[in-house]
Amino acid sequence: MKIDISLAGFVLSFIVAASGWFFRWKDKQKFEKQQSSLERQQAIQQAAAAAEKTVNEERDFNHLRNNQLQISQGIATGFDENERKLDHLRELVIEIKAYLIQRQGAIHGE
């Protein structure tokens, strides 16, 4: 049996080309799988970063709200303290008036 060299070359070329296409296809699938995995990982990282940002923003908001409440309470306490001081001053003024009235009456009554 005589083998035609051109036919054998064609078959061999076809086999080499088919195996090249096959391995290229496998590499492409592997690359796409890696890309998909990488994209998933990036999406997870972005979601984690967004969640962390949300938690940080909520924490900052709560700090600001609590600071505002403390400031408001401090202002209210300051007003209460000033009102007590004014009440004490009013009492002192009344005592001074009473003393002056009593003294004036004592001076005119003598």
Side-chain angles (χ1 to χ4, degrees), residues 34-105:
Q34 288 174 344
Q35 281 298 106
S36 175
S37 176
L38 181 61
E39 289 171 358
R40 246 189 336 268
Q41 186 178 12
Q42 288 174 343
I44 290 170
Q45 288 174 346
Q46 288 174 347
E52 184 177 353
K53 182 180 177 188
T54 301
V55 167
N56 289 339
E57 288 173 350
E58 186 175 338
R59 186 193 68 231
D60 291 345
F61 175 77
N62 287 334
H63 282 302
L64 290 173
R65 186 186 67 205
N66 291 338
N67 287 346
Q68 183 65 35
L69 289 173
Q70 289 175 349
I71 290 169
S72 297
Q73 289 170 349
I75 290 171
T77 302
F79 280 133
D80 291 343
E81 186 176 323
N82 285 339
E83 194 168 329
R84 278 188 287 116
K85 287 179 181 179
L86 286 173
D87 288 342
H88 181 69
L89 288 174
R90 279 187 199 109
E91 290 173 6
L92 287 175
V93 167
I94 290 171
E95 287 179 20
I96 292 171
K97 277 179 156 181
Y99 174 76
L100 290 175
I101 290 172
Q102 184 182 23
R103 181 141 179 168
Q104 188 179 21

Side-chain angles (χ1 to χ4, degrees), residues 17-48:
S19 67
W21 289 330
F22 174 75
F23 286 111
R24 187 175 186 311
W25 175 71
K26 288 295 268 181
D27 285 344
K28 184 178 178 186
Q29 281 187 332
K30 183 179 177 183
F31 177 76
E32 287 174 353
K33 185 177 179 182
Q34 288 174 344
Q35 281 298 106
S36 175
S37 176
L38 181 61
E39 289 171 358
R40 246 189 336 268
Q41 186 178 12
Q42 288 174 343
I44 290 170
Q45 288 174 346
Q46 288 174 347

